[in-house]
Amino acid sequence: MAFSSAPGDVRLLWLLWILGLGFGWGSFSSRSQAHALKVPFRVKDVLPILPRQISWPVLNNLHSAVDLLPAFVGAVLPEGGSIGWKGACFFENEARFEFTNTSDEHGLLGGLLRLKTDAAHSWTCMDLYVFATPYRIMWDYYFTAREHTLEIKSWQEPAEMEYVKQHGISVFLMPSGMLGTFLSLLDVLPLFSNSGWGQKANLAFLNKHMGASFVRRSEPWRATVRAEDVHSGDFLALSKIRGRWGGFETLEKWVTGAFAGHTAVCLKDEMGNLWVGESGHENEKGEEIIAVVPWDEWWEMALEDNSNSHIALLPLHPDLRAKFNATAAWAYARSMSGKPYGYHNMIFSWIDTITNNYPPPLDANLVMSIMSMWTRLQPAYAANMWNEALNKRLGTEGLDLHDIIIETERRGMTFDQLLTIPEQDEWEYSDGKSTTCVAFILEMYKEAGIFGPIANSIQVTEFTIRDAYMLKIFENNGTRLPSWCNAEEEKLPFCQILGEYRMELPEYNTIEPYARMNENCPSLPPTYERPVSC
């Protein structure tokens, strides 16, 4: 899986991002400008003071969880003139940056960001901003039309001042303003709730942003799986729709276009016993590892999962099943057993292009800022998440994020270009080979002969879950599916073996494998259109 086993720090990260805990407020100048002509109020500005039965139905249609993402409006360079943009509250905004004559204890000049706001659409609105360098995050809000100042009295280190000289300070706007951002936060929190409320929130998000329909299935919602009808190499696609992992999977699905959030693979031993191989299996210590467990044990855990799991069995095509080298598959699975889930490369299967993998308003500028903040909050975890992988792309060792940025610039590259360099399956990390849930399965397929002569030309760590289930390697004749896998009225091209709602896998089983596939593919919602041979 790309993100669904990410630790709970992700939620803390976004909360800190919005609330600004641990980061300073900007100081305001006292030079006030004349108020622009404006209407007394807008409807959504005053809704919170109206009766709840009137205000909340309207507010719920005026915001979205996506509004929690700051929108990049530009970078302000010293002595580089000003930038201008239209805000959520103030329609005319301008910013410029200058170094001051005062210096800190290291002799580094301070800085002053001047931001002028004007032409507010009402008297009651305000704009919320985030200001970032790779070394810090700051935020401020403005509700008067005048010139405001944000002072930086000292730099984290000389490299930060040099970065600002060359690239400036990035300015991000919260597109829904203070009220909308707060309401969007309330919209996100239910995604992680293990309740009917949380499930409803996840279904609504996926319907709104991905067009998922969630048609209720006829009962029984659980199939009686006959192990003799399941074969080595059969693919398992899983989807959780509430609780901690349900919330993470919902966000993962949105950014990658996958209609499933986790995967596993079936294996049979020499005695005919059925097993499940999985990267992201939670052991008794709560660690996410690679493991091969008996089917009955795995199935029992799936049934006991209170996140309302949905599971589909995707049988391999009979021609490929005949070629599947189970001995090689087992050897690979055993060589990976006990290794940690592939945190090192989990984001790189998603980022293939400079601009066309980020759902708006997300972009590479915001990604770098989030990485920077996470590095400050959790340096060891950040190193595990991306530092090693970025070093691999540069051919370096041991550089932290800020050194990586400096080295990238020295080579004449941009950070967003660095993120798009394809992951290589042979890369060894500090704890060995790193595979997400889907990369683990596809690497097993390579070892077992599924990709034939092009196996060495495919980097499976570049595949998302969507990329995997779109491969034209699965059963394409519904009459050969086991009789127990679907109710007659479901008419799915695969076997759904668990779940209240009908699982959707758009473009399932449609793309023939080819060399270097998925190394340069866009993935923009809501259509996630994929060019041929990307």
Coordinates of all heavy atoms in Angstrom, one line a residue, residues 103-173:
S103 N 21.3 42.4 12.8 CA 21.8 41.0 12.7 C 21.7 40.3 14.0 O 21.6 40.9 15.1 CB 23.3 41.1 12.2 OG 24.1 41.8 13.2
D104 N 21.7 38.9 13.9 CA 21.6 38.1 15.1 C 23.0 37.8 15.6 O 24.0 38.4 15.2 CB 20.9 36.8 14.7 CG 21.6 36.0 13.7 OD1 22.8 36.2 13.4 OD2 21.0 35.1 13.1
E105 N 23.1 36.9 16.6 CA 24.3 36.6 17.3 C 25.4 36.0 16.3 O 26.6 36.0 16.7 CB 24.1 35.7 18.5 CG 23.6 34.3 18.2 CD 22.0 34.3 18.2 OE1 21.4 35.4 18.0 OE2 21.5 33.2 18.3
H106 N 24.9 35.5 15.2 CA 25.9 34.9 14.2 C 26.2 35.9 13.1 O 26.9 35.5 12.2 CB 25.2 33.6 13.6 CG 24.8 32.6 14.6 ND1 25.7 31.9 15.4 CD2 23.6 32.2 15.0 CE1 25.0 31.1 16.2 NE2 23.7 31.2 15.9
G107 N 25.8 37.1 13.2 CA 26.1 38.1 12.2 C 25.2 38.0 11.0 O 25.6 38.6 10.0
L108 N 24.1 37.3 11.0 CA 23.3 37.1 9.9 C 22.2 38.2 9.9 O 21.6 38.5 11.0 CB 22.6 35.7 9.9 CG 23.6 34.5 9.9 CD1 22.8 33.2 10.0 CD2 24.4 34.6 8.6
L109 N 22.0 38.8 8.8 CA 21.0 39.9 8.7 C 19.6 39.3 8.9 O 19.3 38.2 8.5 CB 21.0 40.6 7.4 CG 22.3 41.3 7.0 CD1 22.3 41.9 5.6 CD2 22.6 42.4 8.0
G110 N 18.7 40.1 9.6 CA 17.3 39.7 9.7 C 16.5 39.9 8.4 O 17.1 40.4 7.4
G111 N 15.2 39.6 8.5 CA 14.4 39.8 7.3 C 13.1 40.4 7.7 O 12.6 40.2 8.8
L112 N 12.4 41.0 6.7 CA 11.1 41.6 6.9 C 10.2 41.3 5.7 O 10.5 41.7 4.6 CB 11.2 43.1 7.2 CG 10.0 43.8 7.8 CD1 9.7 43.3 9.2 CD2 10.2 45.3 7.8
L113 N 9.1 40.6 5.9 CA 8.2 40.4 4.9 C 7.0 41.4 5.0 O 6.4 41.5 6.1 CB 7.6 38.9 5.0 CG 6.5 38.5 4.0 CD1 7.1 38.4 2.6 CD2 5.9 37.2 4.4
R114 N 6.8 42.1 4.0 CA 5.7 43.1 4.0 C 4.6 42.6 3.1 O 4.8 42.4 1.9 CB 6.2 44.5 3.5 CG 7.3 45.1 4.4 CD 7.8 46.4 3.9 NE 8.9 46.9 4.6 CZ 8.8 47.6 5.7 NH1 7.7 47.8 6.3 NH2 9.9 48.0 6.3
L115 N 3.4 42.5 3.7 CA 2.3 42.0 2.9 C 1.1 43.0 3.0 O 0.6 43.3 4.1 CB 1.8 40.6 3.5 CG 0.9 39.8 2.6 CD1 1.1 38.3 2.9 CD2 -0.6 40.1 3.0
K116 N 0.7 43.5 1.9 CA -0.4 44.5 1.8 C -1.7 43.8 1.4 O -1.7 43.1 0.4 CB 0.0 45.6 0.9 CG -1.1 46.7 0.8 CD -0.6 47.8 -0.2 CE -1.7 48.9 -0.3 NZ -1.3 49.9 -1.3
T117 N -2.8 44.0 2.2 CA -4.1 43.5 1.9 C -5.0 44.6 1.5 O -5.0 45.6 2.2 CB -4.6 42.6 3.0 OG1 -4.7 43.5 4.2 CG2 -3.7 41.4 3.3
D118 N -5.9 44.4 0.5 CA -6.9 45.4 0.1 C -8.0 44.8 -0.6 O -8.0 43.6 -1.0 CB -6.2 46.4 -0.8 CG -6.9 47.8 -0.7 OD1 -8.0 47.9 -0.1 OD2 -6.4 48.7 -1.3
A119 N -9.1 45.5 -0.7 CA -10.3 45.1 -1.5 C -11.0 43.9 -0.9 O -11.2 42.9 -1.6 CB -10.0 44.9 -2.9
A120 N -11.3 43.9 0.4 CA -12.0 42.8 1.0 C -13.4 42.7 0.5 O -14.0 43.7 0.2 CB -12.0 43.0 2.5
H121 N -13.9 41.5 0.4 CA -15.2 41.3 -0.2 C -16.3 41.6 0.9 O -17.5 41.7 0.6 CB -15.4 39.9 -0.7 CG -15.3 38.8 0.3 ND1 -16.2 38.6 1.2 CD2 -14.3 37.8 0.4 CE1 -15.8 37.5 2.0 NE2 -14.7 37.1 1.5
S122 N -15.9 41.6 2.2 CA -16.9 41.9 3.2 C -16.1 42.5 4.4 O -14.9 42.4 4.5 CB -17.7 40.7 3.6 OG -17.0 39.9 4.5
W123 N -16.9 43.0 5.4 CA -16.3 43.5 6.7 C -15.9 42.4 7.7 O -15.3 42.7 8.7 CB -17.2 44.5 7.3 CG -17.4 45.8 6.5 CD1 -16.6 46.3 5.6 CD2 -18.5 46.7 6.6 NE1 -17.1 47.4 5.1 CE2 -18.3 47.7 5.7 CE3 -19.6 46.7 7.4 CZ2 -19.1 48.8 5.5 CZ3 -20.5 47.8 7.3 CH2 -20.2 48.8 6.3
T124 N -16.4 41.2 7.4 CA -16.3 40.2 8.5 C -15.3 39.0 8.1 O -15.2 38.1 8.9 CB -17.7 39.6 8.7 OG1 -18.2 39.1 7.5 CG2 -18.6 40.6 9.3
C125 N -14.7 39.1 6.9 CA -13.9 38.0 6.5 C -12.4 38.2 6.9 O -12.0 39.3 7.4 CB -13.9 37.8 5.0 SG -13.2 39.2 4.1
M126 N -11.6 37.2 6.8 CA -10.2 37.2 7.0 C -9.5 36.2 6.2 O -10.0 35.2 5.7 CB -9.9 37.0 8.5 CG -10.1 35.7 9.0 SD -9.7 35.5 10.8 CE -10.8 36.6 11.6
D127 N -8.2 36.4 5.9 CA -7.3 35.5 5.2 C -6.3 34.9 6.1 O -5.7 35.6 7.0 CB -6.6 36.2 4.0 CG -7.5 36.2 2.8 OD1 -8.4 35.4 2.7 OD2 -7.2 37.1 1.9
L128 N -6.0 33.6 5.9 CA -5.1 32.9 6.7 C -3.9 32.4 5.8 O -4.2 31.9 4.7 CB -5.7 31.6 7.3 CG -4.9 30.7 8.2 CD1 -4.3 31.4 9.4 CD2 -5.7 29.5 8.6
Y129 N -2.7 32.7 6.2 CA -1.5 32.4 5.4 C -0.5 31.5 6.1 O -0.4 31.6 7.4 CB -0.8 33.7 5.0 CG -1.5 34.5 3.9 CD1 -2.4 35.5 4.3 CD2 -1.4 34.2 2.6 CE1 -3.1 36.2 3.3 CE2 -2.1 34.9 1.6 CZ -2.9 35.9 2.0 OH -3.6 36.6 1.0
V130 N 0.3 30.8 5.3 CA 1.4 30.0 5.8 C 2.6 30.5 5.0 O 2.6 30.6 3.8 CB 1.2 28.5 5.7 CG1 2.5 27.7 6.1 CG2 0.0 28.0 6.4
F131 N 3.7 30.8 5.7 CA 5.0 31.2 5.1 C 6.0 30.2 5.4 O 6.2 29.8 6.6 CB 5.4 32.6 5.6 CG 4.3 33.6 5.6 CD1 3.5 34.0 6.7 CD2 4.0 34.3 4.4 CE1 2.5 34.9 6.6 CE2 3.0 35.2 4.3 CZ 2.2 35.5 5.4
A132 N 6.8 29.8 4.4 CA 7.7 28.7 4.6 C 9.0 28.8 3.9 O 9.1 29.4 2.8 CB 7.0 27.4 4.2
T133 N 10.1 28.3 4.5 CA 11.4 28.0 3.9 C 11.6 26.6 4.2 O 10.9 26.0 5.0 CB 12.5 28.9 4.5 OG1 12.9 28.4 5.8 CG2 12.1 30.4 4.6
P134 N 12.6 25.9 3.6 CA 12.9 24.5 4.0 C 13.3 24.4 5.5 O 13.5 23.2 5.9 CB 14.1 24.2 3.1 CG 14.0 25.1 1.9 CD 13.5 26.4 2.5
Y135 N 13.5 25.5 6.2 CA 14.0 25.4 7.6 C 12.9 25.8 8.6 O 13.2 25.7 9.8 CB 15.2 26.3 7.7 CG 16.3 25.9 6.8 CD1 16.3 26.3 5.5 CD2 17.4 25.2 7.3 CE1 17.4 26.0 4.6 CE2 18.5 24.8 6.4 CZ 18.4 25.2 5.1 OH 19.5 24.9 4.2
R136 N 11.8 26.4 8.2 CA 10.8 26.8 9.2 C 9.5 27.0 8.5 O 9.3 27.1 7.3 CB 11.2 28.2 9.8 CG 11.1 29.4 8.8 CD 11.4 30.7 9.5 NE 12.8 30.8 9.8 CZ 13.4 31.4 10.8 NH1 12.6 32.0 11.7 NH2 14.7 31.5 10.9
I137 N 8.4 27.0 9.3 CA 7.0 27.3 8.9 C 6.5 28.3 9.9 O 6.7 28.3 11.1 CB 6.1 26.0 9.1 CG1 6.7 24.8 8.3 CG2 4.7 26.3 8.7 CD1 6.6 25.0 6.8
M138 N 5.9 29.4 9.3 CA 5.2 30.4 10.1 C 3.8 30.6 9.6 O 3.5 30.2 8.4 CB 6.0 31.7 10.0 CG 7.5 31.6 10.3 SD 8.5 33.1 9.7 CE 8.5 32.7 8.0
W139 N 3.0 31.2 10.4 CA 1.6 31.5 9.9 C 1.1 32.8 10.5 O 1.6 33.3 11.5 CB 0.7 30.4 10.1 CG 0.3 30.1 11.5 CD1 1.0 29.5 12.5 CD2 -1.0 30.5 12.1 NE1 0.3 29.5 13.7 CE2 -0.9 30.1 13.5 CE3 -2.1 31.1 11.7 CZ2 -2.0 30.3 14.4 CZ3 -3.2 31.3 12.6 CH2 -3.1 30.9 13.9
D140 N 0.1 33.4 9.8 CA -0.5 34.6 10.3 C -1.9 34.7 9.6 O -2.2 34.1 8.6 CB 0.4 35.8 9.9 CG 0.3 36.9 11.0 OD1 -0.7 36.9 11.8 OD2 1.2 37.7 11.1
Y141 N -2.7 35.6 10.2 CA -4.0 35.9 9.6 C -4.3 37.4 9.6 O -3.8 38.1 10.4 CB -5.1 35.1 10.4 CG -5.3 35.6 11.8 CD1 -6.3 36.7 12.1 CD2 -4.6 35.1 12.9 CE1 -6.4 37.1 13.4 CE2 -4.8 35.5 14.2 CZ -5.7 36.5 14.4 OH -5.9 37.0 15.7
Y142 N -5.0 37.8 8.6 CA -5.3 39.2 8.4 C -6.8 39.5 8.1 O -7.4 38.8 7.3 CB -4.5 39.7 7.1 CG -3.0 39.3 7.2 CD1 -2.4 38.6 6.2 CD2 -2.2 39.7 8.3 CE1 -1.1 38.2 6.3 CE2 -0.9 39.4 8.4 CZ -0.3 38.6 7.4 OH 1.0 38.3 7.4
F143 N -7.3 40.5 8.9 CA -8.7 40.8 8.7 C -8.9 42.3 8.5 O -10.0 42.8 8.5 CB -9.5 40.3 9.9 CG -9.1 40.8 11.2 CD1 -9.5 42.0 11.7 CD2 -8.2 40.0 12.0 CE1 -9.0 42.5 13.0 CE2 -7.7 40.5 13.2 CZ -8.2 41.7 13.7
T144 N -7.8 43.1 8.3 CA -7.9 44.5 8.0 C -7.1 44.8 6.7 O -6.1 44.2 6.5 CB -7.4 45.4 9.2 OG1 -6.0 45.0 9.4 CG2 -8.2 45.2 10.4
A145 N -7.6 45.8 6.0 CA -7.0 46.2 4.8 C -5.9 47.2 5.1 O -6.1 48.4 5.3 CB -8.0 46.8 3.8
R146 N -4.6 46.7 5.1 CA -3.5 47.6 5.4 C -2.2 46.8 5.1 O -2.2 45.7 4.6 CB -3.5 48.0 6.9 CG -3.4 46.9 7.9 CD -3.5 47.5 9.3 NE -3.5 46.5 10.4 CZ -2.4 46.2 11.1 NH1 -1.3 46.7 10.8 NH2 -2.5 45.3 12.0
E147 N -1.1 47.4 5.4 CA 0.2 46.7 5.3 C 0.6 46.0 6.6 O 0.6 46.7 7.6 CB 1.3 47.7 4.8 CG 2.6 46.9 4.6 CD 3.7 47.8 4.0 OE1 4.5 48.4 4.9 OE2 3.8 48.0 2.8
H148 N 0.8 44.7 6.5 CA 1.2 43.9 7.6 C 2.7 43.6 7.5 O 3.2 43.5 6.4 CB 0.4 42.7 7.7 CG -1.1 42.9 7.6 ND1 -1.9 43.2 8.6 CD2 -1.9 42.9 6.5 CE1 -3.1 43.4 8.2 NE2 -3.1 43.2 6.9
T149 N 3.4 43.3 8.6 CA 4.8 42.9 8.5 C 5.0 41.6 9.3 O 4.3 41.3 10.3 CB 5.7 43.9 9.1 OG1 5.4 44.2 10.4 CG2 5.6 45.2 8.2
L150 N 5.8 40.7 8.8 CA 6.2 39.5 9.5 C 7.8 39.6 9.6 O 8.5 39.6 8.5 CB 5.8 38.3 8.7 CG 6.1 36.9 9.3 CD1 5.3 36.7 10.5 CD2 5.8 35.8 8.3
E151 N 8.3 39.6 10.8 CA 9.7 39.8 11.0 C 10.4 38.5 11.3 O 9.9 37.7 12.1 CB 10.0 40.8 12.1 CG 11.4 41.2 12.3 CD 11.7 42.2 13.4 OE1 10.7 42.5 14.1 OE2 12.8 42.7 13.5
I152 N 11.5 38.3 10.7 CA 12.4 37.2 11.0 C 13.7 37.8 11.6 O 14.5 38.4 10.9 CB 12.7 36.4 9.7 CG1 11.4 35.8 9.1 CG2 13.7 35.2 10.1 CD1 11.6 35.1 7.8
K153 N 13.8 37.6 12.9 CA 14.9 38.2 13.6 C 16.2 37.4 13.5 O 17.3 38.0 13.6 CB 14.6 38.4 15.1 CG 13.4 39.4 15.3 CD 13.1 39.5 16.8 CE 12.0 40.5 17.1 NZ 11.7 40.7 18.5
S154 N 16.1 36.1 13.3 CA 17.3 35.3 13.1 C 17.0 34.1 12.2 O 15.8 33.7 12.2 CB 17.9 34.9 14.5 OG 16.9 34.0 15.1
W155 N 18.0 33.6 11.6 CA 17.9 32.4 10.7 C 18.3 31.1 11.5 O 19.1 31.2 12.4 CB 18.7 32.6 9.4 CG 18.3 33.9 8.7 CD1 19.0 35.1 8.8 CD2 17.2 34.1 7.9 NE1 18.3 36.0 8.0 CE2 17.2 35.4 7.4 CE3 16.1 33.3 7.4 CZ2 16.3 36.0 6.6 CZ3 15.2 33.8 6.6 CH2 15.3 35.1 6.2
Q156 N 17.7 30.0 11.1 CA 18.1 28.8 11.7 C 19.6 28.5 11.5 O 20.2 28.0 12.4 CB 17.3 27.6 11.1 CG 15.8 27.7 11.3 CD 15.4 27.5 12.7 OE1 16.1 26.9 13.5 NE2 14.2 27.9 13.1
E157 N 20.1 28.8 10.4 CA 21.5 28.6 10.1 C 21.9 29.4 8.8 O 20.9 29.9 8.1 CB 21.9 27.2 9.9 CG 21.0 26.4 8.9 CD 21.2 24.9 8.9 OE1 20.6 24.2 9.7 OE2 22.1 24.5 8.1
P158 N 23.1 29.7 8.5 CA 23.5 30.5 7.3 C 22.9 29.9 6.0 O 22.5 30.7 5.1 CB 25.0 30.4 7.3 CG 25.4 30.2 8.7 CD 24.3 29.3 9.3
A159 N 22.7 28.6 6.0 CA 22.2 28.0 4.7 C 20.7 28.5 4.5 O 20.3 28.6 3.3 CB 22.2 26.5 4.8
E160 N 20.0 28.8 5.6 CA 18.6 29.3 5.4 C 18.6 30.6 4.7 O 17.9 30.9 3.8 CB 17.8 29.3 6.7 CG 16.4 29.8 6.5 CD 15.6 29.9 7.8 OE1 16.2 30.0 8.8 OE2 14.4 29.9 7.7
M161 N 19.5 31.5 5.2 CA 19.6 32.9 4.6 C 20.0 32.8 3.1 O 19.5 33.5 2.3 CB 20.5 33.7 5.4 CG 20.5 35.2 5.0 SD 21.5 36.3 6.0 CE 23.1 36.0 5.3
E162 N 20.9 31.9 2.8 CA 21.4 31.7 1.4 C 20.2 31.2 0.6 O 20.1 31.7 -0.6 CB 22.6 30.8 1.4 CG 23.9 31.4 1.9 CD 24.3 32.7 1.2 OE1 24.2 32.7 0.0 OE2 24.6 33.7 1.9
Y163 N 19.4 30.3 1.1 CA 18.3 29.8 0.4 C 17.3 30.9 0.1 O 16.8 31.1 -1.0 CB 17.6 28.7 1.2 CG 16.4 28.1 0.4 CD1 16.5 27.1 -0.4 CD2 15.1 28.7 0.6 CE1 15.4 26.6 -1.1 CE2 14.0 28.2 -0.1 CZ 14.2 27.2 -0.9 OH 13.1 26.7 -1.6
V164 N 17.0 31.7 1.1 CA 16.1 32.8 0.9 C 16.6 33.8 -0.1 O 15.9 34.4 -0.9 CB 15.8 33.5 2.2 CG1 14.9 34.8 2.0 CG2 15.0 32.5 3.2
K165 N 17.9 34.1 -0.1 CA 18.5 35.0 -1.1 C 18.2 34.5 -2.5 O 17.9 35.3 -3.4 CB 20.0 35.1 -0.9 CG 20.5 36.0 0.3 CD 22.0 36.0 0.3 CE 22.5 36.9 1.5 NZ 23.9 37.0 1.5
Q166 N 18.3 33.2 -2.7 CA 18.2 32.7 -4.1 C 16.7 32.3 -4.4 O 16.3 32.5 -5.6 CB 19.0 31.4 -4.2 CG 20.5 31.6 -4.1 CD 21.3 30.4 -4.3 OE1 21.0 29.6 -5.2 NE2 22.3 30.1 -3.4
H167 N 15.9 31.9 -3.5 CA 14.6 31.4 -3.8 C 13.5 32.1 -3.1 O 12.3 31.9 -3.4 CB 14.5 29.9 -3.4 CG 15.6 29.1 -4.1 ND1 15.5 28.7 -5.5 CD2 16.7 28.5 -3.7 CE1 16.5 28.0 -5.8 NE2 17.3 27.9 -4.8
G168 N 13.8 32.9 -2.1 CA 12.7 33.6 -1.4 C 12.0 32.8 -0.4 O 12.3 31.7 0.0
I169 N 10.9 33.4 0.2 CA 10.0 32.8 1.1 C 8.7 32.4 0.4 O 8.1 33.2 -0.3 CB 9.7 33.7 2.3 CG1 11.0 34.0 3.1 CG2 8.7 33.1 3.2 CD1 10.9 35.0 4.2
S170 N 8.3 31.1 0.6 CA 7.1 30.7 -0.1 C 5.9 31.1 0.7 O 5.9 31.1 1.9 CB 7.1 29.1 -0.2 OG 8.2 28.7 -1.0
V171 N 4.9 31.6 -0.1 CA 3.6 32.1 0.5 C 2.5 31.2 0.1 O 2.3 30.9 -1.1 CB 3.3 33.5 0.1 CG1 2.0 34.0 0.7 CG2 4.5 34.5 0.4
F172 N 1.8 30.6 1.1 CA 0.7 29.8 0.9 C -0.6 30.4 1.5 O -0.6 30.9 2.6 CB 0.9 28.4 1.6 CG 2.0 27.6 1.0 CD1 3.3 27.8 1.6 CD2 1.9 26.8 0.0 CE1 4.4 27.1 1.2 CE2 3.0 26.0 -0.5 CZ 4.2 26.2 0.1
L173 N -1.7 30.3 0.8 CA -3.0 30.8 1.2 C -3.9 29.7 1.6 O -4.0 28.7 0.8 CB -3.6 31.7 0.1 CG -5.1 32.0 0.3 CD1 -5.2 33.1 1.4 CD2 -5.7 32.5 -1.0

